[in-house]
Amino acid sequence: MYVAISSYLLLLSPDRFRRRAFTVEWKQRMLEYGVPQYTHLFQNTKPFQTLVDYVFHYDNYNFGTIMYNLIGNVMLFVPLGLLLPLIFMSFQSVHRVFFLTLSASLIIETLQLLFSLGSFDVDDLLLNVLGGLIGYGMFRVGAALIHRRRNSRKFDDDLSASSF
């Protein structure tokens, strides 16, 4: 269910196809005007460029757009970081969750770029991985709480079974 919803939001939603139409039209116009360097306007390969732009040029953006991009990119990958270790024992390592989250995010960003369904932004990769790691952190905290609760019950059972 998570994969289906994420795929829809990131690649198949009507908003993506509106963006695609705009991007394709933009690229065609830039080529017609003889300025092919502007066809790569919707790509960011410099880490933190978009994030810094949001901070220092926030007046150029709608608050909703900033929150949607920042919070949305993080929150979309929290379930991945939480569900992977719950479903697969082999993903109970932060390294594996990190690399799978990074790989999944890189695939999505590349598909968005190739099919003009959005922009390729390295900052989205960073935010997606952060979301996956937050989800993994939630898993670890939950596992520690469950472990502590089980141990305290065992200790309580041992005390109640003994006779004084």
Side-chain angles (χ1 to χ4, degrees), residues 63-105:
F63 180 75
T65 301
I66 294 173
M67 288 299 106
Y68 177 78
N69 284 326
L70 296 179
I71 306 290
N73 276 312
V74 172
M75 294 306 295
L76 190 65
F77 278 77
V78 168
L80 185 65
L82 179 63
L83 293 174
L84 276 174
L86 282 173
I87 296 171
F88 305 106
M89 291 289 289
S90 61
F91 281 98
Q92 291 187 356
S93 158
V94 70
H95 299 97
R96 289 187 180 197
V97 171
F98 172 83
F99 285 114
L100 186 79
T101 304
L102 178 64
S103 299
S105 181

Side-chain angles (χ1 to χ4, degrees), residues 84-160:
L84 276 174
L86 282 173
I87 296 171
F88 305 106
M89 291 289 289
S90 61
F91 281 98
Q92 291 187 356
S93 158
V94 70
H95 299 97
R96 289 187 180 197
V97 171
F98 172 83
F99 285 114
L100 186 79
T101 304
L102 178 64
S103 299
S105 181
L106 186 60
I107 289 168
I108 289 167
E109 291 294 318
T110 303
L111 288 172
Q112 287 180 350
L113 176 67
L114 291 175
F115 296 114
S116 299
L117 294 172
S119 62
F120 181 93
D121 193 338
V122 71
D123 291 346
D124 288 353
L125 291 172
L126 297 172
L127 294 169
N128 295 158
V129 169
L130 175 64
L133 293 176
I134 288 171
Y136 180 77
M138 292 168 65
F139 164 76
R140 296 305 290 172
V141 167
L145 291 174
I146 290 170
H147 181 71
R148 183 182 306 159
R149 175 111 177 166
R150 284 183 182 165
N151 284 344
S152 69
R153 277 191 188 168
K154 183 179 176 183
F155 182 71
D156 291 342
D157 290 343
D158 289 344
L159 287 178
S160 64

